[in-house]
PDB file of all heavy atoms in Angstrom:
ATOM      1  N   ALA A   1       9.347  21.494  10.474  1.00 87.00           N
ATOM      2  CA  ALA A   1       8.764  20.198  10.797  1.00 87.00           C
ATOM      3  C   ALA A   1       7.453  19.987  10.049  1.00 87.00           C
ATOM      4  O   ALA A   1       7.152  18.860   9.603  1.00 87.00           O
ATOM      5  CB  ALA A   1       8.551  20.066  12.292  1.00 87.00           C
ATOM      6  N   ALA A   2       6.656  21.033   9.913  1.00 86.00           N
ATOM      7  CA  ALA A   2       5.403  20.935   9.163  1.00 86.00           C
ATOM      8  C   ALA A   2       5.676  20.616   7.690  1.00 86.00           C
ATOM      9  O   ALA A   2       4.982  19.780   7.091  1.00 86.00           O
ATOM     10  CB  ALA A   2       4.596  22.220   9.289  1.00 86.00           C
ATOM     11  N   LEU A   3       6.652  21.260   7.109  1.00 87.00           N
ATOM     12  CA  LEU A   3       7.024  20.956   5.711  1.00 87.00           C
ATOM     13  C   LEU A   3       7.546  19.536   5.579  1.00 87.00           C
ATOM     14  O   LEU A   3       7.187  18.819   4.632  1.00 87.00           O
ATOM     15  CB  LEU A   3       8.097  21.930   5.224  1.00 87.00           C
ATOM     16  CG  LEU A   3       7.596  23.296   4.781  1.00 87.00           C
ATOM     17  CD1 LEU A   3       8.754  24.257   4.606  1.00 87.00           C
ATOM     18  CD2 LEU A   3       6.809  23.174   3.512  1.00 87.00           C
ATOM     19  N   GLY A   4       8.366  19.105   6.518  1.00 88.00           N
ATOM     20  CA  GLY A   4       8.910  17.756   6.474  1.00 88.00           C
ATOM     21  C   GLY A   4       7.830  16.698   6.655  1.00 88.00           C
ATOM     22  O   GLY A   4       7.804  15.690   5.945  1.00 88.00           O
ATOM     23  N   ALA A   5       6.914  16.927   7.594  1.00 90.00           N
ATOM     24  CA  ALA A   5       5.809  15.962   7.805  1.00 90.00           C
ATOM     25  C   ALA A   5       4.896  15.867   6.591  1.00 90.00           C
ATOM     26  O   ALA A   5       4.458  14.784   6.200  1.00 90.00           O
ATOM     27  CB  ALA A   5       5.018  16.363   9.052  1.00 90.00           C
ATOM     28  N   THR A   6       4.614  17.009   5.988  1.00 88.00           N
ATOM     29  CA  THR A   6       3.775  17.011   4.786  1.00 88.00           C
ATOM     30  C   THR A   6       4.445  16.260   3.643  1.00 88.00           C
ATOM     31  O   THR A   6       3.804  15.480   2.916  1.00 88.00           O
ATOM     32  CB  THR A   6       3.475  18.459   4.339  1.00 88.00           C
ATOM     33  OG1 THR A   6       2.876  19.147   5.441  1.00 88.00           O
ATOM     34  CG2 THR A   6       2.558  18.485   3.150  1.00 88.00           C
ATOM     35  N   THR A   7       5.745  16.434   3.500  1.00 88.00           N
ATOM     36  CA  THR A   7       6.504  15.717   2.466  1.00 88.00           C
ATOM     37  C   THR A   7       6.486  14.216   2.710  1.00 88.00           C
ATOM     38  O   THR A   7       6.258  13.427   1.809  1.00 88.00           O
ATOM     39  CB  THR A   7       7.950  16.238   2.428  1.00 88.00           C
ATOM     40  OG1 THR A   7       7.929  17.640   2.206  1.00 88.00           O
ATOM     41  CG2 THR A   7       8.749  15.555   1.363  1.00 88.00           C
ATOM     42  N   VAL A   8       6.681  13.808   3.941  1.00 89.00           N
ATOM     43  CA  VAL A   8       6.678  12.364   4.281  1.00 89.00           C
ATOM     44  C   VAL A   8       5.284  11.761   4.049  1.00 89.00           C
ATOM     45  O   VAL A   8       5.164  10.664   3.479  1.00 89.00           O
ATOM     46  CB  VAL A   8       7.142  12.159   5.736  1.00 89.00           C
ATOM     47  CG1 VAL A   8       6.884  10.735   6.187  1.00 89.00           C
ATOM     48  CG2 VAL A   8       8.614  12.461   5.845  1.00 89.00           C
ATOM     49  N   VAL A   9       4.245  12.470   4.423  1.00 88.00           N
ATOM     50  CA  VAL A   9       2.889  11.953   4.229  1.00 88.00           C
ATOM     51  C   VAL A   9       2.575  11.817   2.734  1.00 88.00           C
ATOM     52  O   VAL A   9       1.996  10.826   2.306  1.00 88.00           O
ATOM     53  CB  VAL A   9       1.860  12.860   4.935  1.00 88.00           C
ATOM     54  CG1 VAL A   9       0.449  12.566   4.486  1.00 88.00           C
ATOM     55  CG2 VAL A   9       1.980  12.717   6.431  1.00 88.00           C
ATOM     56  N   LEU A  10       2.962  12.795   1.933  1.00 84.00           N
ATOM     57  CA  LEU A  10       2.732  12.700   0.492  1.00 84.00           C
ATOM     58  C   LEU A  10       3.487  11.531  -0.132  1.00 84.00           C
ATOM     59  O   LEU A  10       2.969  10.808  -0.973  1.00 84.00           O
ATOM     60  CB  LEU A  10       3.126  13.998  -0.197  1.00 84.00           C
ATOM     61  CG  LEU A  10       2.184  15.189  -0.032  1.00 84.00           C
ATOM     62  CD1 LEU A  10       2.796  16.442  -0.648  1.00 84.00           C
ATOM     63  CD2 LEU A  10       0.842  14.884  -0.677  1.00 84.00           C
ATOM     64  N   ALA A  11       4.744  11.351   0.280  1.00 83.00           N
ATOM     65  CA  ALA A  11       5.540  10.252  -0.273  1.00 83.00           C
ATOM     66  C   ALA A  11       4.977   8.896   0.137  1.00 83.00           C
ATOM     67  O   ALA A  11       4.893   7.980  -0.687  1.00 83.00           O
ATOM     68  CB  ALA A  11       6.992  10.387   0.184  1.00 83.00           C
ATOM     69  N   LEU A  12       4.570   8.759   1.389  1.00 85.00           N
ATOM     70  CA  LEU A  12       3.983   7.478   1.828  1.00 85.00           C
ATOM     71  C   LEU A  12       2.627   7.231   1.219  1.00 85.00           C
ATOM     72  O   LEU A  12       2.306   6.091   0.872  1.00 85.00           O
ATOM     73  CB  LEU A  12       3.895   7.446   3.353  1.00 85.00           C
ATOM     74  CG  LEU A  12       5.207   7.350   4.116  1.00 85.00           C
ATOM     75  CD1 LEU A  12       4.967   7.426   5.598  1.00 85.00           C
ATOM     76  CD2 LEU A  12       5.928   6.076   3.736  1.00 85.00           C
ATOM     77  N   ALA A  13       1.838   8.244   1.014  1.00 82.00           N
ATOM     78  CA  ALA A  13       0.534   8.072   0.394  1.00 82.00           C
ATOM     79  C   ALA A  13       0.690   7.603  -1.054  1.00 82.00           C
ATOM     80  O   ALA A  13      -0.094   6.785  -1.546  1.00 82.00           O
ATOM     81  CB  ALA A  13      -0.277   9.371   0.443  1.00 82.00           C
ATOM     82  N   ALA A  14       1.673   8.126  -1.733  1.00 79.00           N
ATOM     83  CA  ALA A  14       1.909   7.683  -3.126  1.00 79.00           C
ATOM     84  C   ALA A  14       2.464   6.281  -3.163  1.00 79.00           C
ATOM     85  O   ALA A  14       2.130   5.514  -4.048  1.00 79.00           O
ATOM     86  CB  ALA A  14       2.888   8.640  -3.813  1.00 79.00           C
ATOM     87  N   GLN A  15       3.303   5.918  -2.203  1.00 76.00           N
ATOM     88  CA  GLN A  15       3.899   4.595  -2.208  1.00 76.00           C
ATOM     89  C   GLN A  15       2.909   3.507  -1.827  1.00 76.00           C
ATOM     90  O   GLN A  15       2.926   2.416  -2.383  1.00 76.00           O
ATOM     91  CB  GLN A  15       5.081   4.560  -1.244  1.00 76.00           C
ATOM     92  CG  GLN A  15       5.803   3.224  -1.253  1.00 76.00           C
ATOM     93  CD  GLN A  15       7.005   3.240  -0.321  1.00 76.00           C
ATOM     94  OE1 GLN A  15       7.260   4.220   0.351  1.00 76.00           O
ATOM     95  NE2 GLN A  15       7.718   2.144  -0.301  1.00 76.00           N
ATOM     96  N   PHE A  16       2.047   3.778  -0.886  1.00 76.00           N
ATOM     97  CA  PHE A  16       1.130   2.757  -0.374  1.00 76.00           C
ATOM     98  C   PHE A  16      -0.289   2.981  -0.816  1.00 76.00           C
ATOM     99  O   PHE A  16      -1.225   2.654  -0.096  1.00 76.00           O
ATOM    100  CB  PHE A  16       1.197   2.699   1.150  1.00 76.00           C
ATOM    101  CG  PHE A  16       2.530   2.265   1.664  1.00 76.00           C
ATOM    102  CD1 PHE A  16       3.317   3.104   2.397  1.00 76.00           C
ATOM    103  CD2 PHE A  16       2.986   0.990   1.396  1.00 76.00           C
ATOM    104  CE1 PHE A  16       4.540   2.699   2.878  1.00 76.00           C
ATOM    105  CE2 PHE A  16       4.217   0.571   1.856  1.00 76.00           C
ATOM    106  CZ  PHE A  16       4.987   1.435   2.599  1.00 76.00           C
ATOM    107  N   SER A  17      -0.499   3.506  -1.998  1.00 67.00           N
ATOM    108  CA  SER A  17      -1.870   3.659  -2.487  1.00 67.00           C
ATOM    109  C   SER A  17      -2.449   2.281  -2.728  1.00 67.00           C
ATOM    110  O   SER A  17      -1.778   1.388  -3.221  1.00 67.00           O
ATOM    111  CB  SER A  17      -1.912   4.501  -3.764  1.00 67.00           C
ATOM    112  OG  SER A  17      -1.186   3.881  -4.769  1.00 67.00           O
ATOM    113  N   PRO A  18      -3.716   2.038  -2.369  1.00 59.00           N
ATOM    114  CA  PRO A  18      -4.260   0.681  -2.367  1.00 59.00           C
ATOM    115  C   PRO A  18      -4.442   0.109  -3.769  1.00 59.00           C
ATOM    116  O   PRO A  18      -4.957   0.769  -4.657  1.00 59.00           O
ATOM    117  CB  PRO A  18      -5.604   0.846  -1.668  1.00 59.00           C
ATOM    118  CG  PRO A  18      -5.952   2.267  -1.834  1.00 59.00           C
ATOM    119  CD  PRO A  18      -4.660   3.011  -1.897  1.00 59.00           C
ATOM    120  N   ARG A  19      -4.002  -1.116  -3.947  1.00 54.00           N
ATOM    121  CA  ARG A  19      -4.180  -1.910  -5.143  1.00 54.00           C
ATOM    122  C   ARG A  19      -3.874  -1.134  -6.414  1.00 54.00           C
ATOM    123  O   ARG A  19      -4.662  -1.135  -7.350  1.00 54.00           O
ATOM    124  CB  ARG A  19      -5.585  -2.487  -5.201  1.00 54.00           C
ATOM    125  CG  ARG A  19      -5.834  -3.510  -4.130  1.00 54.00           C
ATOM    126  CD  ARG A  19      -7.150  -4.109  -4.257  1.00 54.00           C
ATOM    127  NE  ARG A  19      -7.254  -4.788  -5.537  1.00 54.00           N
ATOM    128  CZ  ARG A  19      -8.357  -5.298  -6.004  1.00 54.00           C
ATOM    129  NH1 ARG A  19      -9.471  -5.184  -5.344  1.00 54.00           N
ATOM    130  NH2 ARG A  19      -8.384  -5.912  -7.143  1.00 54.00           N
ATOM    131  N   ARG A  20      -2.744  -0.462  -6.451  1.00 47.00           N
ATOM    132  CA  ARG A  20      -2.425   0.348  -7.617  1.00 47.00           C
ATOM    133  C   ARG A  20      -1.950  -0.485  -8.806  1.00 47.00           C
ATOM    134  O   ARG A  20      -1.909  -0.025  -9.902  1.00 47.00           O
ATOM    135  CB  ARG A  20      -1.420   1.415  -7.294  1.00 47.00           C
ATOM    136  CG  ARG A  20      -0.108   0.901  -6.829  1.00 47.00           C
ATOM    137  CD  ARG A  20       0.826   2.077  -6.576  1.00 47.00           C
ATOM    138  NE  ARG A  20       2.159   1.586  -6.406  1.00 47.00           N
ATOM    139  CZ  ARG A  20       2.788   1.530  -5.264  1.00 47.00           C
ATOM    140  NH1 ARG A  20       2.195   1.946  -4.171  1.00 47.00           N
ATOM    141  NH2 ARG A  20       4.012   1.065  -5.177  1.00 47.00           N
ATOM    142  N   ASP A  21      -1.554  -1.754  -8.551  1.00 50.00           N
ATOM    143  CA  ASP A  21      -1.098  -2.587  -9.677  1.00 50.00           C
ATOM    144  C   ASP A  21      -2.170  -3.506 -10.194  1.00 50.00           C
ATOM    145  O   ASP A  21      -1.957  -4.221 -11.150  1.00 50.00           O
ATOM    146  CB  ASP A  21       0.139  -3.377  -9.292  1.00 50.00           C
ATOM    147  CG  ASP A  21      -0.081  -4.237  -8.066  1.00 50.00           C
ATOM    148  OD1 ASP A  21      -1.176  -4.168  -7.485  1.00 50.00           O
ATOM    149  OD2 ASP A  21       0.842  -4.978  -7.709  1.00 50.00           O
ATOM    150  N   GLY A  22      -3.335  -3.510  -9.555  1.00 51.00           N
ATOM    151  CA  GLY A  22      -4.452  -4.348 -10.025  1.00 51.00           C
ATOM    152  C   GLY A  22      -4.346  -5.784  -9.628  1.00 51.00           C
ATOM    153  O   GLY A  22      -5.192  -6.593 -10.005  1.00 51.00           O
ATOM    154  N   VAL A  23      -3.342  -6.159  -8.850  1.00 52.00           N
ATOM    155  CA  VAL A  23      -3.179  -7.551  -8.441  1.00 52.00           C
ATOM    156  C   VAL A  23      -3.757  -7.720  -7.049  1.00 52.00           C
ATOM    157  O   VAL A  23      -3.456  -6.948  -6.152  1.00 52.00           O
ATOM    158  CB  VAL A  23      -1.684  -7.941  -8.438  1.00 52.00           C
ATOM    159  CG1 VAL A  23      -1.504  -9.367  -7.970  1.00 52.00           C
ATOM    160  CG2 VAL A  23      -1.102  -7.766  -9.823  1.00 52.00           C
ATOM    161  N   ARG A  24      -4.602  -8.704  -6.898  1.00 50.00           N
ATOM    162  CA  ARG A  24      -5.177  -8.944  -5.575  1.00 50.00           C
ATOM    163  C   ARG A  24      -4.129  -9.596  -4.682  1.00 50.00           C
ATOM    164  O   ARG A  24      -3.383 -10.460  -5.112  1.00 50.00           O
ATOM    165  CB  ARG A  24      -6.372  -9.867  -5.692  1.00 50.00           C
ATOM    166  CG  ARG A  24      -7.528  -9.237  -6.366  1.00 50.00           C
ATOM    167  CD  ARG A  24      -8.695 -10.161  -6.351  1.00 50.00           C
ATOM    168  NE  ARG A  24      -9.823  -9.553  -7.033  1.00 50.00           N
ATOM    169  CZ  ARG A  24     -10.950 -10.178  -7.280  1.00 50.00           C
ATOM    170  NH1 ARG A  24     -11.100 -11.425  -6.926  1.00 50.00           N
ATOM    171  NH2 ARG A  24     -11.917  -9.562  -7.902  1.00 50.00           N
ATOM    172  N   PRO A  25      -4.103  -9.207  -3.410  1.00 49.00           N
ATOM    173  CA  PRO A  25      -3.139  -9.843  -2.515  1.00 49.00           C
ATOM    174  C   PRO A  25      -3.531 -11.286  -2.237  1.00 49.00           C
ATOM    175  O   PRO A  25      -4.712 -11.640  -2.286  1.00 49.00           O
ATOM    176  CB  PRO A  25      -3.241  -8.989  -1.233  1.00 49.00           C
ATOM    177  CG  PRO A  25      -4.538  -8.313  -1.321  1.00 49.00           C
ATOM    178  CD  PRO A  25      -4.856  -8.158  -2.782  1.00 49.00           C
ATOM    179  N   ARG A  26      -2.530 -12.126  -1.981  1.00 51.00           N
ATOM    180  CA  ARG A  26      -2.807 -13.525  -1.682  1.00 51.00           C
ATOM    181  C   ARG A  26      -3.490 -13.649  -0.333  1.00 51.00           C
ATOM    182  O   ARG A  26      -3.188 -12.929   0.596  1.00 51.00           O
ATOM    183  CB  ARG A  26      -1.513 -14.325  -1.621  1.00 51.00           C
ATOM    184  CG  ARG A  26      -0.974 -14.665  -2.949  1.00 51.00           C
ATOM    185  CD  ARG A  26       0.137 -15.635  -2.761  1.00 51.00           C
ATOM    186  NE  ARG A  26       0.616 -16.049  -4.060  1.00 51.00           N
ATOM    187  CZ  ARG A  26       1.688 -16.767  -4.245  1.00 51.00           C
ATOM    188  NH1 ARG A  26       2.409 -17.136  -3.233  1.00 51.00           N
ATOM    189  NH2 ARG A  26       2.060 -17.084  -5.459  1.00 51.00           N
ATOM    190  N   ARG A  27      -4.381 -14.624  -0.273  1.00 53.00           N
ATOM    191  CA  ARG A  27      -5.034 -14.881   0.998  1.00 53.00           C
ATOM    192  C   ARG A  27      -4.122 -15.711   1.868  1.00 53.00           C
ATOM    193  O   ARG A  27      -3.465 -16.635   1.418  1.00 53.00           O
ATOM    194  CB  ARG A  27      -6.339 -15.662   0.769  1.00 53.00           C
ATOM    195  CG  ARG A  27      -7.371 -14.815   0.084  1.00 53.00           C
ATOM    196  CD  ARG A  27      -8.617 -15.576  -0.178  1.00 53.00           C
ATOM    197  NE  ARG A  27      -9.077 -16.252   1.011  1.00 53.00           N
ATOM    198  CZ  ARG A  27     -10.055 -17.150   1.013  1.00 53.00           C
ATOM    199  NH1 ARG A  27     -10.636 -17.479  -0.088  1.00 53.00           N
ATOM    200  NH2 ARG A  27     -10.420 -17.717   2.135  1.00 53.00           N
ATOM    201  N   ARG A  28      -4.067 -15.357   3.095  1.00 56.00           N
ATOM    202  CA  ARG A  28      -3.248 -16.107   4.047  1.00 56.00           C
ATOM    203  C   ARG A  28      -4.069 -17.259   4.606  1.00 56.00           C
ATOM    204  O   ARG A  28      -5.295 -17.204   4.656  1.00 56.00           O
ATOM    205  CB  ARG A  28      -2.816 -15.203   5.219  1.00 56.00           C
ATOM    206  CG  ARG A  28      -2.049 -14.004   4.752  1.00 56.00           C
ATOM    207  CD  ARG A  28      -0.638 -14.372   4.504  1.00 56.00           C
ATOM    208  NE  ARG A  28       0.110 -13.163   4.133  1.00 56.00           N
ATOM    209  CZ  ARG A  28       1.252 -13.227   3.525  1.00 56.00           C
ATOM    210  NH1 ARG A  28       1.791 -14.353   3.228  1.00 56.00           N
ATOM    211  NH2 ARG A  28       1.867 -12.123   3.205  1.00 56.00           N
ATOM    212  N   GLY A  29      -3.396 -18.296   5.032  1.00 56.00           N
ATOM    213  CA  GLY A  29      -4.084 -19.426   5.651  1.00 56.00           C
ATOM    214  C   GLY A  29      -4.518 -20.463   4.620  1.00 56.00           C
ATOM    215  O   GLY A  29      -4.197 -20.386   3.441  1.00 56.00           O
ATOM    216  N   PHE A  30      -5.230 -21.443   5.087  1.00 53.00           N
ATOM    217  CA  PHE A  30      -5.662 -22.548   4.242  1.00 53.00           C
ATOM    218  C   PHE A  30      -7.043 -22.308   3.678  1.00 53.00           C
ATOM    219  O   PHE A  30      -7.938 -21.841   4.342  1.00 53.00           O
ATOM    220  CB  PHE A  30      -5.707 -23.851   5.052  1.00 53.00           C
ATOM    221  CG  PHE A  30      -4.372 -24.363   5.436  1.00 53.00           C
ATOM    222  CD1 PHE A  30      -3.920 -24.272   6.731  1.00 53.00           C
ATOM    223  CD2 PHE A  30      -3.569 -24.969   4.503  1.00 53.00           C
ATOM    224  CE1 PHE A  30      -2.695 -24.736   7.089  1.00 53.00           C
ATOM    225  CE2 PHE A  30      -2.325 -25.449   4.843  1.00 53.00           C
ATOM    226  CZ  PHE A  30      -1.872 -25.339   6.157  1.00 53.00           C
ATOM    227  N   THR A  31      -7.182 -22.636   2.416  1.00 56.00           N
ATOM    228  CA  THR A  31      -8.516 -22.678   1.835  1.00 56.00           C
ATOM    229  C   THR A  31      -9.049 -24.090   2.050  1.00 56.00           C
ATOM    230  O   THR A  31      -8.303 -25.010   2.417  1.00 56.00           O
ATOM    231  CB  THR A  31      -8.481 -22.363   0.329  1.00 56.00           C
ATOM    232  OG1 THR A  31      -7.678 -23.328  -0.322  1.00 56.00           O
ATOM    233  CG2 THR A  31      -7.929 -20.971   0.096  1.00 56.00           C
TER     234      THR A  31
END
């Protein structure tokens, strides 16, 4: 379970690294 959890955390950290494509997210709501 420790090996599996470490693997999942590494995979998710790589997938959801912040602003890795350099594109700013759209603002929600009205300007």
Side-chain angles (χ1 to χ4, degrees):
L3 280 168
T6 304
T7 303
V8 169
V9 167
L10 285 174
L12 289 176
Q15 183 178 2
F16 295 115
S17 63
R19 292 184 62 188
R20 62 178 192 254
D21 57 356
V23 178
R24 291 185 181 173
R26 281 190 177 171
R27 291 178 50 190
R28 302 279 183 198
F30 290 106
T31 61

